[in-house]
């Protein structure tokens, strides 16, 4: 894809400031254990359509592409619920049971300042970072008046204008922005639209691939020199997003994010305290009305799902002197999805994800220490309590009994996590780093309580699923000299009770359950292992040559 970017900014940096200096490269190579990141400049200058697409330029990260946008992030083979994606520390989840609207879809590039990635099981600050964590850092308004219009044009009719403005002084900063993203359907090498290749109806061949509006605003205030607070809100409205990879498309996907935070900075034993609360919600509607499968249906569609999810959360993080950090996190996620069938053979509405609440509370403690100029150590521990229960009255217990032999609608889990890290300078230019971590992620509401009767094969969750634990080791080297760095590393993840999809045979006869097979979930033991090599060379202040290689392999 070809993309052209036009930017107008209140302040412009010289070209030399756009290329990392040798010192910048060395700083990047020194990130502890398995941390990477993207800055706004790298995102803007890429051909990416969303955050998930942009992250795929980092070694070890790839994507699952289901359409023109809304790419699923894959980190070392981990994806979906096995990764945490946060926006300034706040959780947001997609509502679609088929991962049509992943978390990274619900933030616009124009909001983003940088993206921080922690690879592996080493994020101790947030529950559920089984294979890694991605934290999107939003832009902060600066001093004075700033006005930043932007226009991105690309192949296949890609059109992305955005406008941000802000005003700030030492006491008060106000910012707001709007972005619109649109693109026609991609074409293959023969010039055919994907709508003409997949099972789209002829009247949909000329439809756009996506149209998305995003608006946001924020107020940041400082009542004292060592204190600051912020209130922010974002609304995103996506319409007519096409997913040729899947069986349905999305007439609309609406996301809201509301967050408040307050930070206090001191110089004594407690250096910084940050408290945050947030509310995020996603409403998602998907149908096959544009597909040939809806031909002859009783409605405009033959199958559809309305899903919504919301998260109410809060966290407090405290930085102490002498390398200690402690924190507490609590959140509740609600997830509900109703599947509708309007074919000639079936006319039903089923509460597939039956209004499930997941409530988590956890606390962590992390410590890092520079023993000498060449020797650094760190360790962290965390404990989480999770409760999950079904609120919906429409759950079909006979499906659970027929295929799984259980019908429990409540679960409680108590899970510890821990890690240890060390970095040792072998020479002035060569550094060894190693880490060992063990962390857990809870099964989600779909994996435990999904229940849907279908033609030929049902789809049922497994209420007896255990949480998945990743025990991971990392070992690598950092070599830095005169603007050049080389960073090879290897990793091994031992996964106990990994949650995978499987075909479940019916165990017993139950009223209304006629099929003998269902799509379901089970715990298995698995492993994922691999390695990465990253290198870079800065030539003067204007040229950078870099390369990367990553390999991941998994088996159960």
């Amino acid at each position: 894809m070809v993309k052209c970017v036009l930017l107008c900014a209140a302040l412009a940096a010289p070209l030399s400031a756009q290329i990392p200096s040798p010192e910048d490269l060395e700083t990047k190579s020194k990130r502890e254990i398995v941390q990477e990141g993207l800055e706004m400049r790298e995102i803007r200058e890429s051909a990416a359509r969303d955050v998930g697409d942009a992250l795929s330029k980092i070694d070890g990260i790839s994507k699952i592409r289901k359409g023109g946008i809304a790419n699923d992030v894959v980190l070392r083979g981990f994806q979906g619920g096995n990764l945490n994606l946060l926006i300034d520390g706040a959780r947001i989840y997609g509502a679609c049971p088929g991962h049509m609207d992943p978390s990274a879809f619900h933030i616009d590039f124009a909001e983003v300042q940088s993206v921080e990635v922690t690879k592996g099981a080493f994020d101790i600050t947030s529950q559920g970072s089984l294979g890694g964590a991605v934290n999107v850092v939003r832009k902060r308004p600066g001093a004075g008046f700033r006005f930043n219009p932007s226009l991105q044009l690309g192949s296949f009719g890609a059109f992305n204008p955005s406008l941000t403005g802000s005003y700030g002084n030492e006491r008060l900063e106000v910012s707001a922005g709007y972005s619109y993203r649109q693109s026609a359907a991609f074409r293959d090498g023969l010039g055919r639209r994907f709508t003409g290749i997949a099972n789209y109806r002829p009247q949909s061949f000329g439809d756009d691939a996506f149209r998305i509006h995003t608006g946001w605003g924020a107020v940041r205030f400082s009542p004292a020199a060592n204190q600051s607070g912020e209130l922010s809100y974002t609304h995103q409205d996506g319409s007519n997003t096409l997913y040729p990879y899947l069986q349905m498309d999305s007439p609309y996907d609406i996301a809201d994010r509301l967050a408040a935070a307050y930070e206090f900075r001191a110089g004594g034993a407690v250096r910084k305290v940050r408290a945050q609360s947030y509310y995020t919600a996603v409403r998602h509607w998907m149908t096959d009305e544009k597909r040939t499968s809806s031909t002859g249906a009783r409605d405009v569609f033959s199958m559809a799902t309305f899903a919504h999810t919301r998260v109410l959360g809060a966290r407090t993080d405290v930085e102490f002197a002498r390398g200690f950090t402690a924190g507490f996190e609590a959140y509740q996620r609600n997830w509900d999805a109703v599947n509708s069938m309007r074919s000639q053979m079936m006319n039903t509405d089923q509460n597939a994800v039956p209004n499930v609440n997941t409530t988590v509370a956890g606390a962590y403690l992390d410590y890092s220490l520079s023993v000498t100029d060449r020797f650094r150590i760190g360790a962290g521990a965390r404990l989480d309590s999770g409760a999950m229960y079904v609120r919906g009255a429409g759950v079909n217990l006979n499906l659970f009994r027929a295929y799984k032999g259980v019908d429990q609608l409540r679960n409680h889990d108590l899970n510890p996590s821990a890690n240890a890290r060390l970095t040792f300078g072998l020479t002035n230019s060569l550094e060894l780093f190693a880490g060992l971590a063990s962390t857990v992620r809870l099964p989600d509401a779909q994996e435990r309580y999904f229940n849907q009767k279908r033609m030929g094969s049902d789809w049922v969750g497994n209420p007896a699923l255990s949480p998945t634990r990743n025990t991971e080791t990392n070992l690598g080297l950092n070599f830095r000299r005169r603007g050049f760095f080389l960073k090879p590393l290897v990793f091994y993840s031992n996964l106990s009770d990994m949650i995978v999809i499987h075909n479940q045979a019916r165990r017993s006869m139950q009223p209304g359950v006629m099929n003998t097979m269902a799509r379901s979930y089970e715990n298995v033991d698995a492993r994922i292992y691999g390695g990465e090599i990253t290198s870079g060379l800065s030539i003067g202040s204007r040229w950078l040559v870099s390369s990367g290689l990553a390999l991941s392999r998994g088996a159960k």
Side-chain angles (χ1 to χ4, degrees):
M1 189 193 82
V2 177
K3 184 169 80 169
C4 174
V5 183
L6 303 176
L7 298 173
C8 298
L11 298 175
L15 179 60
S16 60
Q18 304 299 306
I19 300 297
S21 66
E23 291 75 17
D24 292 334
L25 290 175
E26 291 190 7
T27 299
K28 186 173 184 179
S29 71
K30 287 180 181 179
R31 286 188 173 120
E32 187 180 9
I33 305 299
V34 278
Q35 291 185 339
E36 298 288 346
L38 287 177
E39 298 300 323
M40 189 60 225
R41 176 187 57 81
E42 298 174 276
I43 296 172
R44 279 290 191 190
E45 293 178 3
S46 72
R49 296 291 180 90
D50 60 16
V51 171
D53 196 359
L55 285 170
S56 63
K57 72 177 294 182
I58 295 178
D59 299 323
I61 299 182
S62 58
K63 63 180 183 290
I64 296 177
R65 186 175 180 181
K66 294 160 287 189
I69 204 166
N71 297 277
D72 237 338
V73 178
V74 182
L75 199 168
R76 293 179 173 176
F78 294 92
Q79 66 187 79
N82 292 320
L83 298 176
N84 256 342
L85 189 136
L86 311 172
I87 301 175
D88 279 340
R91 296 175 180 269
I92 184 168
Y93 295 95
C96 175
H99 297 281
M100 186 179 283
D101 60 334
S103 301
F105 174 54
H106 296 113
I107 185 167
D108 191 271
F109 279 157
E111 294 181 81
V112 178
Q113 180 61 43
S114 62
V115 184
E116 303 166 344
V117 179
T118 301
K119 297 178 180 179
F122 290 88
D123 175 38
I124 206 76
T125 63
S126 301
Q127 188 278 327
S129 302
L130 187 77
V134 177
N135 184 47
V136 180
V137 180
R138 293 171 48 254
K139 288 181 180 177
R140 298 287 187 264
F145 177 75
R146 295 172 181 251
F147 182 73
N148 189 352
S150 170
L151 175 62
Q152 299 185 34
L153 303 174
S155 53
F156 312 110
F159 178 61
N160 178 202
S162 66
L163 177 65
T164 59
S166 65
Y167 176 79
N169 55 41
E170 61 181 13
R171 293 295 185 186
L172 181 66
E173 299 172 352
V174 180
S175 62
Y178 168 78
S179 174
Y180 175 68
R181 288 179 284 176
Q182 176 183 335
S183 176
F186 291 167
R187 296 177 183 268
D188 69 1
L190 298 177
R192 300 173 299 178
R193 288 172 175 259
F194 70 64
T195 47
I197 302 171
N199 64 328
Y200 285 90
R201 302 174 74 169
Q203 56 266 42
S204 299
F205 284 0
D207 287 3
D208 286 336
F210 57 85
R211 294 194 297 272
I212 303 168
H213 301 264
T214 308
W216 63 92
V219 177
R220 188 175 178 85
F221 54 92
S222 299
N226 64 338
Q227 299 180 45
S228 62
E230 183 178 17
L231 180 65
S232 63
Y233 171 72
T234 298
H235 176 80
Q236 183 184 83
D237 191 341
S239 60
N240 294 313
T241 306
L242 305 185
Y243 296 90
Y245 180 90
L246 305 174
Q247 295 180 334
M248 292 186 278
D249 306 295
S250 178
Y252 71 78
D253 184 280
I254 299 172
D256 293 281
R257 308 194 321 263
L258 177 65
Y262 199 85
E263 186 175 294
F264 174 83
R265 299 171 297 278
V270 178
R271 292 183 175 177
K272 184 170 72 173
V273 178
R274 188 175 190 271
Q276 178 189 30
S277 61
Y278 59 89
Y279 173 82
T280 61
V282 176
R283 290 170 289 161
H284 180 81
W285 173 240
M286 58 182 179
T287 77
D288 71 338
E289 61 190 76
K290 296 180 181 292
R291 308 296 185 98
T292 55
S293 58
S294 65
T295 304
R298 298 183 184 185
D299 208 325
V300 295
F301 59 83
S302 69
M303 54 183 173
T305 298
F306 175 74
H308 67 86
T309 184
R310 61 180 183 271
V311 184
L312 180 64
R315 62 179 302 133
T316 300
D317 300 276
V318 183
E319 291 185 13
F320 297 93
R322 299 186 179 181
F324 282 100
T325 305
F328 174 80
E329 176 190 26
Y331 68 92
Q332 182 181 82
R333 181 191 181 188
N334 175 268
W335 195 3
D336 188 67
V338 176
N339 177 264
S340 301
M341 303 295 293
R342 297 293 185 269
S343 66
Q344 292 295 326
M345 301 294 294
M346 186 177 294
N347 188 355
T348 62
D349 293 298
Q350 300 181 74
N351 200 181
V353 182
N355 196 5
V356 181
N357 271 359
T358 302
T359 305
V360 175
Y364 76 90
L365 179 66
D366 189 76
Y367 176 69
S368 60
L369 173 67
S370 294
V371 180
T372 67
D373 291 341
R374 290 190 177 185
F375 185 43
R376 302 190 301 275
I377 60 173
R382 182 181 178 96
L383 183 65
D384 289 290
S385 175
M388 184 180 295
Y389 66 94
V390 174
R391 301 178 62 201
V395 60
N396 189 339
L397 292 176
N398 287 331
L399 283 173
F400 298 131
R401 293 164 181 160
Y403 292 105
K404 293 299 182 182
V406 295
D407 59 6
Q408 67 195 62
L409 298 182
R410 288 180 175 269
N411 290 82
H412 181 265
D413 303 283
L414 185 67
N415 301 299
S417 300
N419 68 51
R421 299 101 53 192
L422 68 86
T423 304
F424 182 70
L426 302 174
T427 68
N428 290 334
S429 301
L430 185 62
E431 192 174 61
L432 170 73
F433 62 89
L436 174 65
S438 181
T439 194
V440 169
R441 77 100 166 165
L442 299 174
D444 64 29
Q446 177 178 350
E447 293 163 337
R448 271 181 171 164
Y449 297 120
F450 198 89
N451 65 122
Q452 182 186 359
K453 294 174 62 177
R454 304 187 300 178
M455 300 231 5
S457 175
D458 298 318
W459 188 358
V460 59
N462 183 355
L465 282 176
S466 298
T468 301
R469 177 169 292 279
N470 179 14
T471 301
E472 179 176 338
T473 57
N474 279 256
L475 179 66
L477 295 169
N478 270 330
F479 177 77
R480 308 177 301 277
R481 189 171 184 181
R482 296 179 181 176
F484 173 77
F485 78 84
L486 177 68
K487 183 180 179 181
L489 68 88
V490 293
F491 66 90
Y492 184 92
S493 290
N494 183 63
L495 299 156
S496 59
D497 292 320
M498 180 78 171
I499 299 171
V500 298
I501 294 174
H502 78 130
N503 292 322
Q504 174 68 61
R506 189 179 64 193
R507 294 183 176 182
S508 65
M509 292 288 295
Q510 294 293 330
V513 181
M514 308 304 296
N515 292 325
T516 60
M517 190 68 66
R519 179 185 185 182
S520 189
Y521 305 88
E522 67 174 348
N523 290 121
V524 301
D525 289 332
R527 63 187 185 275
I528 297 178
Y529 55 91
E532 300 164 14
I533 300 176
T534 303
S535 63
L537 174 63
S538 178
I539 304 173
S541 61
R542 295 178 180 269
W543 293 91
L544 171 66
V545 179
S546 63
S547 65
L549 175 68
L551 171 68
S552 298
R553 183 177 179 88
K556 65 174 183 176

